[in-house]
Amino acid sequence: MLKTFFKTLSFAAVLSASLASLPAHAEQKSDFKVCWSIYVGWMPWGYLQDSGIMKKWADKYDISVDIVQINDYVESINQYTVGEYDGCSMTNMDALSIPAGGGVDTTALIVGDYSNGNDGIILKNATDLAAIKGQNVNLVELSVSHYLLARALEKVGLSEQDVTVVNTSDADMIATYATDDVTSVVTWKPLLSEIAANDNATLVFDSAGIPGEIIDIMMVNTETLADNPAFGKALVGAWYELMGIMASDTDEGIAARTAMAEASGTDLAGYDAQLASTAMFFTPDKAVEFTKSTELPETMKFVAEFLFDKGILGEGAPSPEFVGVSFPDGSIYGDSANVKLKFDTTYMEMAAKGEL
């Protein structure tokens, strides 16, 4: 199964327009819903629901939390953004462009992992990234693949003007690569692995070259979290209990990873292989350290500039700084009067200190 990142200019524009009429919906309540979609780093959400770990933590705080799988990634973000869900798993890039860019105040509650080789660029019959100059590059346009290409080109002194991006569905990527006129593709695992297995294919750059930039996060509505701290405590407590199990080589840990593998359409070996190129933060202190790092503001600046350049940073955004992003030290990138994406380590730190 795939982690998909489709989004379009029209989607962002329509969503922004629809949000203009939405009322603030935060309030004290006892029943919550979060959504997720298939991806190696997000499979724990399904296991939390099925194993009863989520219910145990929700019961502790006298609330209920329903974790719902949505097969379409963008649709899951869409439904979160319009208020159908209190939280949703998504990348930092999509959180900035869709809910935050659309005006929904969103908080990064659990910074779960970053892609550390799951996304990559493959050239046919060439072994150096610089050889991509002048080529057509097949990828899912306006996705993290597109972002990865832009960042990779910078590394070799090139820009997107030096290539021609050809929008290609992930569903067609393997077949597309097999055609004679296709010479370069950008995609993600497991497609990446399958294409790289061709004799004429060379992986010339992957997300390990921009560590920490494609981040997978459980995002929640900021106002809902502020009014309902028990919601944040229950989610974070459940998550790190499972992280401890998942990271272990115990029978329980292997059983958990096996269940996640089967739920994502692979086996334990396949799932462990995907985990190997995913920098999972199995402990809260590692997640806090990453979220407080000096590199994160720089990453979000790269992301905002990319989104603005592609015209998907909120409707009518006049600059990359249109949407403010705040960080744990209180610093802000962008417009301090329009902070809609917040990196907050409060609850992860509670977990690290054993206070949940």
Side-chain angles (χ1 to χ4, degrees):
M1 298 298 289
L2 308 176
K3 179 184 183 184
T4 55
F5 299 86
F6 293 23
K7 52 186 168 295
T8 65
L9 290 167
S10 58
F11 169 78
V14 169
L15 185 58
S16 296
S18 67
L19 290 171
S21 61
L22 283 179
H25 61 283
E27 58 183 354
Q28 289 189 339
K29 59 182 188 176
S30 59
D31 301 319
F32 302 88
K33 293 194 305 180
V34 300
C35 56
W36 67 285
S37 53
I38 295 280
Y39 172 63
V40 55
W42 297 332
M43 298 313 297
W45 288 111
Y47 191 78
L48 284 170
Q49 178 79 6
D50 296 341
S51 66
I53 295 175
M54 186 68 255
K55 184 179 186 308
K56 184 184 79 172
W57 280 86
D59 288 348
K60 177 177 180 178
Y61 290 101
D62 197 27
I63 62 174
S64 72
V65 178
D66 192 19
I67 302 175
V68 179
Q69 179 184 341
I70 296 178
N71 290 329
D72 184 287
Y73 171 62
V74 167
E75 180 60 20
S76 71
I77 304 175
N78 185 10
Q79 292 194 26
Y80 159 76
T81 304
V82 298
E84 291 295 320
Y85 290 89
D86 301 296
C88 187
S89 57
M90 65 189 80
T91 69
N92 54 322
M93 174 175 148
D94 293 322
L96 182 58
S97 66
I98 302 179
V104 175
D105 199 327
T106 292
T107 292
L109 180 69
I110 302 171
V111 177
D113 70 85
Y114 64 81
S115 175
N116 197 32
N118 275 337
D119 305 83
I121 301 172
I122 290 174
L123 296 188
K124 185 184 289 182
N125 299 321
T127 58
D128 183 356
L129 173 60
I132 201 171
K133 185 177 182 179
Q135 294 193 23
N136 291 334
V137 182
N138 294 77
L139 51 73
V140 178
E141 196 170 17
L142 305 179
S143 70
V144 294
S145 291
H146 203 157
Y147 174 77
L148 179 75
L149 173 67
R151 294 286 289 126
L153 291 173
E154 291 176 10
K155 300 284 186 182
V156 291
L158 300 175
S159 73
E160 199 172 322
Q161 294 178 338
D162 293 306
V163 300
T164 301
V165 168
V166 180
N167 188 31
T168 306
S169 165
D170 60 316
D172 299 328
M173 196 63 74
I174 292 174
T176 297
Y177 181 80
T179 59
D180 291 339
D181 59 341
V182 171
T183 56
S184 63
V185 300
V186 188
T187 188
W188 53 83
K189 291 184 178 179
L191 298 177
L192 186 71
S193 300
E194 190 163 343
I195 294 172
N198 286 278
D199 291 339
N200 59 7
T202 300
L203 179 68
V204 295
F205 188 87
D206 66 28
S207 51
I210 52 168
E213 294 193 23
I214 300 175
I215 312 167
D216 302 306
I217 303 169
M218 170 52 73
M219 295 287 183
V220 300
N221 182 281
T222 299
E223 294 178 26
T224 300
L225 180 64
D227 289 348
N228 302 276
F231 169 56
K233 292 178 180 178
L235 274 187
V236 173
W239 178 263
Y240 286 112
E241 178 178 332
L242 178 54
M243 287 299 101
I245 295 170
M246 189 177 165
S248 74
D249 288 326
T250 63
D251 290 345
E252 188 181 17
I254 292 171
R257 297 203 309 278
T258 299
M260 293 180 215
E262 292 173 350
S264 59
T266 184
D267 55 17
L268 179 60
Y271 186 64
D272 282 346
Q274 292 182 45
L275 280 175
S277 52
T278 306
M280 292 290 295
F281 298 121
F282 287 114
T283 61
D285 57 331
K286 292 296 184 184
V288 169
E289 180 183 4
F290 174 82
T291 309
K292 286 186 170 181
S293 69
T294 56
E295 288 80 11
L296 183 58
E298 187 70 10
T299 291
M300 293 312 298
K301 177 177 180 288
F302 286 146
V303 170
E305 290 173 346
F306 173 80
L307 294 173
F308 176 72
D309 182 56
K310 301 305 174 190
I312 51 176
L313 183 64
E315 186 178 23
S319 76
E321 293 83 20
F322 173 62
V323 181
V325 182
S326 67
F327 302 95
D329 64 357
S331 64
I332 294 172
Y333 168 78
D335 187 350
S336 60
N338 186 37
V339 175
K340 295 298 182 185
L341 184 58
K342 299 178 171 72
F343 285 89
D344 185 345
T345 55
T346 300
Y347 292 86
M348 293 188 292
E349 288 190 85
M350 287 182 185
K353 295 175 182 175
E355 297 176 347
L356 296 177

